[in-house]
Amino acid sequence: MARRRQAVTIKHVAADAGVSLQTVSRVINNEPNVRPEMKERVQASIDKLGYVPSIAAQRMSGSRSYLILAINDRERTIADWQSRQGTDWVDQMLLGGMLTCAERGYRMLVELIDTHSDHVERELGAAIAALQPDGVIVTPPHSENPLITGLLAKKHIPFARIGSKEPGHGIALTMGDEHLAKLATEHLAGLGHRRIGFIAGSEEYSLADWRIDGWREAMENAGLEHEGLCQRGDFGFESGVRAARALLDLPDPPTAIIASSDQMTLAALEVAKERGLTVPDDLSLISFDNTPLVRFTSPPLTALDQPIAATAARAVELLIDEGRDYVSDTPVVIEGDLVIRGSTAAPKRG
């Protein structure tokens, strides 16, 4: 039988560096009053021995838990997973958040909480009591749920609110939704489109209205009429079908449509095909999200790329570096960009 490799402990590091256990602990926890040369010596031993500090040991050494908790909407997340339709919000959040946590010696955990539940405070309270996180990332629509944000503030836990601009406790972050909607509208207007429709998301999300604001502002700046050119969905495929049909049934239908999710844009693409419209010759389409599947449609979809990973990474940085000390009257904005593919072109003349 192969011998089990002995785990490297803090005692091995202390012996190799010729210092006390307390000194190693101070270096690991990045505490003040440790001389630079001592830090270098201890770090050299850590690197040589391949020592990885356990979270349990770190938690015992001070008041921090070295955990960041991310909270996502249970109902929508499970529905996305079960549909297997390419939504990658959670993947991108983990990509940015987990890597940044790892760089700082932290770990990131995800909890699914039902924002519609009467027991939302109890669910969140149980997760906090069990994990005792050093900070919490709250995603839409939780980021604007006063029961959730109020509980975190009451417990004095630093938290970041992604997709929220409201003043109050926590670090507010957005992904420049108005800017992205304006960017898409300006691109289409620059191609010569005069009738640009917009399919908005659910009213439950403030960012859905921010996107309408960006589209409307860009339309007005270009001197284009927008009355009657906005339909609302719920970010899902079926609602996108209904909204796209309503827009294309107008007496003077749009020659281009921007939809607030990839699912609703795929729905608009399906409606265009059922009506014999060619994309982009007869109808140009732009999507929000830029999930992996939009690259494999026919044609590939022009999309607004939301910087979910970068936003989660920034939230982690602010929670670890500043936490409760963070004060700002304006949200942190991490802006995405427009990825142009084959679903947009100049409208047909005449």
Side-chain angles (χ1 to χ4, degrees), residues 13-251:
V13 175
D16 187 79
V19 299
S20 67
L21 292 174
Q22 187 177 22
T23 298
V24 176
S25 178
R26 286 176 178 169
V27 172
I28 291 170
N29 292 298
N30 199 28
E31 294 180 12
N33 304 321
V34 180
R35 299 194 310 274
E37 59 270 21
M38 190 63 69
K39 283 186 178 181
E40 291 180 10
R41 187 197 305 178
V42 172
Q43 189 60 51
S45 293
I46 288 173
D47 294 341
K48 182 176 79 173
L49 298 174
Y51 171 70
V52 178
S54 71
I55 288 180
Q58 287 177 296
R59 294 178 82 157
M60 290 176 64
S61 68
S63 60
R64 289 181 290 175
S65 68
Y66 295 90
L67 291 175
I68 298 294
L69 176 64
I71 299 172
N72 218 47
D73 182 43
R74 184 201 307 275
E75 183 179 346
R76 184 169 295 277
T77 301
I78 292 176
D80 287 341
W81 285 343
Q82 290 176 334
S83 68
R84 303 181 71 180
Q85 292 178 333
T87 303
D88 67 345
W89 167 276
V90 175
D91 294 345
Q92 289 297 310
M93 184 177 66
L94 292 175
L95 172 64
M98 293 184 83
L99 292 181
T100 306
C101 279
E103 291 171 359
R104 306 298 187 91
Y106 277 68
R107 295 293 182 271
M108 184 181 200
L109 298 177
V110 176
E111 284 284 323
L112 301 181
I113 302 292
D114 186 359
T115 196
H116 302 292
S117 171
D118 294 335
H119 310 298
V120 63
E121 290 176 288
R122 187 173 68 192
E123 287 184 40
L124 179 57
I128 289 171
L131 300 171
Q132 299 180 10
D134 289 334
V136 175
I137 296 174
V138 194
T139 60
H142 294 326
S143 49
E144 294 188 315
N145 184 330
L147 293 177
I148 291 176
T149 57
L151 177 63
L152 294 171
K154 182 179 179 181
K155 291 184 175 294
H156 304 290
I157 298 173
F159 62 98
R161 299 180 279 123
I162 294 178
S164 174
K165 295 182 182 178
E166 293 297 318
H169 297 284
I171 303 167
L173 301 98
T174 78
M175 290 182 277
D177 294 270
E178 300 102 318
H179 167 75
L180 289 175
K182 286 176 64 177
L183 203 61
T185 309
E186 289 165 355
H187 172 66
L188 292 168
L191 290 172
H193 291 275
R194 317 318 290 164
R195 299 279 291 172
I196 302 171
F198 195 86
I199 303 178
S202 169
E203 290 177 315
E204 186 180 6
Y205 296 75
S206 291
L207 58 83
D209 289 333
W210 303 340
R211 294 173 184 180
I212 295 175
D213 293 340
W215 162 77
R216 186 182 292 122
E217 182 181 345
M219 292 288 279
E220 291 173 353
N221 290 343
L224 303 178
E225 291 292 330
H226 55 74
E227 193 67 33
L229 285 174
C230 181
Q231 292 288 324
R232 192 180 287 276
D234 61 8
F235 297 112
F237 186 89
E238 293 303 325
S239 72
V241 169
R242 293 189 294 270
R245 286 175 178 166
L247 287 172
L248 294 175
D249 282 341
L250 292 172

Side-chain angles (χ1 to χ4, degrees), residues 264-283:
M264 294 196 297
T265 312
L266 290 172
L269 181 62
E270 188 68 23
V271 171
K273 289 179 178 178
E274 75 181 20
R275 297 190 176 207
L277 300 176
T278 301
V279 175
D281 294 337
D282 301 311
L283 180 69

